[in-house]
Amino acid sequence: VHSGDSACMIPPRSLDDDTLARVCEVTEDIARALDTVGLLNVQLAVTGVHDADAESEVFVLEANPRSSRTVPFVSKATGVPIAKLAAKVMTDDVSLADLDVDEQIPEHRSVKEVVLPFDRLPGSDPRLGPEMKSTGEVMGTARSFGKAYDKAQDATSKPIPESGTAVVDLSAEEFPDPDTEAGEALVEGYAEHFQLSEATDLIEAAKRGEIDLIVSRQRELLEVAVEEEITYFSTYASAKAALEAIEHAGDDIDVMAVSDRPKRVEKWGASE
């Protein structure tokens, strides 16, 4: 999935401190080598994050000397006014040291979710892939990841239902095999909250209003989900996140100003 179409969170929960330190080191090395003054957008990939026995390795995909639409999200989540600081060092001939700004790590979880345009583009492919399709972003913040994701998804006007009838179709290669531990856990998780559809024609069932949530990669089924305004998830990661959101649906909504949310002054990663 293109990074511009991905949901992401701060602080990250799939990267340990050593990996975060390496990410910082790589990014700073690139910034210095390019004599960057202002903002730098770096795309990184990390291997081994889902394998406890594997050693994580950081790869650089690309580096662009510019801002990105993720900057407002990072600024709000961390409480560090990144765009303002960048403008100052670019125009006021001051350094970051002169500005005396500390890195801050938020105690709460913030999730950035994308807004997709498929409801305005009939017949378009609703499945996510390497081509970016999103046209906007929203943000949700809470004490738990599940509730933050729930709030972010709600802000996209595609709220996650807590009950009803669900389709959990793991036939695509992007999903784990239903007979594997991961596949069984996903199906069982949804079965705890939903009645799993046994309809022989899922498309017609969706058109009749008999489906409340869809997990699938079938294009025709997802096109109907868009038409009928049925919340759907077309990746394994988003399906897992949605299940966690359902489990935390009863959590406090945590309404407070972003600036009031607790943070600690600390460098990202384990090493200086």
Side-chain angles (χ1 to χ4, degrees):
V1 173
H2 192 286
S3 61
D5 285 349
S6 67
C8 62
M9 68 171 293
I10 295 177
R13 61 175 183 173
S14 59
L15 304 179
D16 58 29
D17 281 344
D18 289 337
T19 303
L20 280 174
R22 179 59 179 157
V23 166
C24 293
E25 179 185 23
V26 168
T27 303
E28 291 172 4
D29 286 348
I30 294 172
R32 292 191 177 95
L34 295 177
D35 292 326
T36 304
V37 178
L39 290 166
L40 176 68
N41 177 259
V42 183
Q43 304 273 345
L44 304 169
V46 181
T47 64
V49 294
H50 299 299
D51 187 347
D53 299 324
E55 184 175 347
S56 297
E57 190 171 359
V58 177
F59 291 88
V60 178
L61 302 181
E62 60 183 61
N64 304 298
R66 60 167 175 79
S67 176
S68 73
R69 67 181 190 179
T70 307
V71 166
F73 168 63
V74 177
S75 296
K76 291 176 181 178
T78 63
V80 179
I82 298 173
K84 181 178 180 180
L85 297 173
K88 282 185 174 293
V89 299
M90 292 171 71
T91 60
D92 293 347
D93 194 27
V94 296
S95 68
L96 288 176
D98 295 331
L99 296 174
D100 192 28
V101 178
D102 294 314
E103 291 186 43
Q104 296 186 147
I105 298 179
E107 302 286 350
H108 289 183
R109 303 292 185 264
S110 292
V111 172
K112 181 204 76 172
E113 180 60 291
V114 295
V115 177
L116 297 163
F118 303 131
D119 58 337
R120 300 189 296 277
L121 301 170
S124 60
D125 188 349
R127 296 172 297 181
L128 299 182
E131 176 187 354
M132 191 177 83
K133 300 180 179 181
S134 62
T135 54
E137 295 178 337
V138 298
M139 174 179 172
T141 302
R143 288 177 173 83
S144 68
F145 166 77
K147 191 60 182 178
Y149 188 73
D150 184 44
K151 292 170 68 175
Q153 193 68 30
D154 197 39
T156 68
S157 298
K158 294 180 180 178
I160 304 172
E162 298 176 38
S163 60
T165 301
V167 172
V168 183
D169 169 28
L170 305 184
S171 59
E173 291 182 359
E174 290 84 354
F175 289 108
D177 189 291
D179 294 329
T180 63
E181 184 176 345
E184 289 179 357
L186 193 66
V187 173
E188 290 174 1
Y190 278 98
E192 290 181 11
H193 303 277
F194 296 86
Q195 177 182 345
L196 300 186
S197 176
E198 297 180 354
T200 54
D201 191 329
L202 293 175
I203 292 177
E204 288 302 317
K207 289 180 178 180
R208 291 194 298 267
E210 298 172 2
I211 307 296
D212 300 290
L213 182 142
I214 294 173
V215 174
S216 178
R217 289 282 292 178
Q218 291 187 41
R219 175 173 177 171
E220 294 80 4
L221 181 57
L222 297 185
E223 286 181 4
V224 173
V226 173
E227 294 170 3
E228 302 297 330
E229 299 183 348
I230 302 170
T231 297
Y232 69 89
F233 299 96
S234 60
T235 66
Y236 175 54
S238 64
K240 283 185 63 180
L243 188 56
E244 191 166 345
I246 293 169
E247 293 168 350
H248 285 269
D251 291 2
D252 187 86
I253 198 170
D254 279 334
V255 176
M256 67 175 70
V258 174
S259 57
D260 293 338
R261 293 191 180 274
K263 307 170 187 68
R264 65 182 186 273
V265 175
E266 185 177 319
K267 287 181 68 68
W268 292 90
S271 60
E272 290 296 325

